[in-house]
Amino acid sequence: MRLTVNGAQHHLVGLDPRTTLLDALREHLHLTGAKKGCDHGQCGACTVLLDGRRVNSCLILAITQQDAEVTTVEGLGRRGEPHPVQQGFLDHDGFQCGYCTPGQICSAIGMLDEAGKGWPSAVTEDDDLLSDREIRERMSGNLCRCGAYPAMVPAIRQAAGR
Amino acid sequence: MKTFEYRTAAGLAAGLEPGAVFLAGGTNLVDLMKLGVATPDVLVDVNRLPLHEVSGLPDGGIRIGSAVRNSDLAADHRVRTAYPVLSQALLAGASGQLRNMATTGGNLLQRTRCRYFMDATMPCNKHRPGSGCPARDGDHRNLAILGGSPACVATHPSDMAVALAAVDAVVQVDGPAGQRSIPVTGLYRLPEDTPERDTVLEHGELITAVDLPALPVAARSTYRKARDRASYAFAAGSVAAALRVADGLVADVRLAFGAVAPKPWRAYVAEEALRGQPATEERFRAAADAELAAARPLRDNAYKIALIRNLTAAVLTALAEDVR
Ligand SMILES: Cc1cc2nc3c(=O)[nH]c(=O)nc-3n(C[C@H](O)[C@H](O)[C@H](O)COP(=O)(O)OP(=O)(O)OC[C@H]3O[C@@H](n4cnc5c(N)ncnc54)[C@H](O)[C@@H]3O)c2cc1C
Ligand code: SF4
Ligand code: FES
Ligand code: FES
């Protein structure tokens, strides 16, 4: 089967159909940025972008995504030139141990795109889709055991250009 | 995970051989396969079928293709203005990542979150018929107060389905035996002594769409959900409501409760008690109580009665004030 990750096409020969996208990335393509936290959709550590949309790669079978473009944290920015969300996390210390961080960053990128399209959230009251309250709700699919949340909000706010 | 054969669906009415199941977003099915609770022989992927559109119906309603993602549906302009309760219910569920995969059809057919059901090593009448129900005397804090049976007291976990039940949505189904339409309120079975079957669907029947009828009262509707944490958690109780008040009286009302029964619980008794009555918080509370008179709580879930009563009163009062 084929898998397109960060612009490169890969052929995975004899891949077991049970392989999740997360395991295909980590164990077969050795892209270990996306992390395995819970493996059940409950923590967001495995978040990647699928055709630009944020998803949990632990609940997706790799075999179903042969026509998709997958972007992992490894595919963001360039050396010396981090993605604005990565730069925000650096500037605001948006992490402690860093385990949840690749998922947080991919999720934030997907989330900013959603807000940019005008998508509402559960707390939307007016046109301000990126207030701190909005950022918290929209990022609630990413847990952080270190509790680095207070630093992530300004990191993401900065990346949103505010 | 048990191994399986994977293929893409051949057509809408192609059906399924024994042991085969449909795969949509996979956010529930793949999870249950990892847990060893779902053990299909064949996965038939429906994601390439032409079921991704939201379109207008001749009567002014809308048709939602069964493969439309929860996030796209919540953001749809027609849904946000004509059926805000549906958009709000979707946004109250799961997370941004999960909603980007989860589909309309899969959301309706997601299985209970009862912890014994999700643990293949435990007895459970729903995943192993006849093995017993440890929830009755065990952890049933989030299980049913309405519609349960001695064999099973599972709750249906979907937020979306509660909103759909409130607005009289209709499920369109296709299969080898032909097409049929099933109201969402009639899609789910109560467990009785066969809790292994959640719905009235036959093996191989594919949900192709969900139709929302033209329903003016739904333009003034809302969804409120109570849960153990502020976001990204299943409901402890929820209420979907639509209300039209004229001259201080209830002219039209739709009400459904979530996380209290094996199905989204359309509150017909409460609706009946409210029609034509003064739109006051006191009446709203009494109407919720009339519906909840049938509740049979277990040791640890009686809190849901007060929760639903208070949510109902709060939601209807807010809608009534909005109107005046
Ligand atoms: C951590 C977590 C938190 C969650 N929180 C919430 C929450 O708060 N509220 C909430 O409502 N939900 C919640 N969910 C559940 C989520 O909404 C469902 O998993 C999702 O909606 C299922 O949709 P899917 O397309 O991924 O279904 P799948 O997993 O692909 O399928 C589910 C079932 O439906 C069947 N099926 C799918 N499509 C069709 C079709 N067209 N015709 C016939 N059968 C079909 C499949 O065979 C399977 O049995 C949560 C899930 C997780 C993992
Ligand atoms: S309540 Fe239903 S799903 Fe839960 S253990 Fe009992 S039989 Fe199984
Ligand atoms: S590892 Fe995928 S959500 Fe936790
Ligand atoms: S930084 Fe440690 S889990 Fe988030």
Side-chain angles (χ1 to χ4, degrees), chain A residues 22 35-46 56-59, chain B residues 232:
Chain A
L22 178 62
K35 297 289 184 281
K36 187 179 284 191
C38 64
D39 215 18
H40 290 284
Q42 298 173 0
C43 75
C46 64
N56 293 331
S57 61
C58 69
L59 290 184
Chain B
Y232 199 18

Side-chain angles (χ1 to χ4, degrees), chain B residues 112 114-118 123-127 132-136 139 143 150-155 191 195:
Chain B
T112 185
C114 171
R115 62 184 283 186
Y116 307 105
F117 173 75
M118 295 187 79
C124 162
N125 287 328
K126 205 186 251 311
H127 72 217
C133 174
R136 269 199 163 263
D139 180 359
L143 300 187
C152 178
V153 285
T155 35

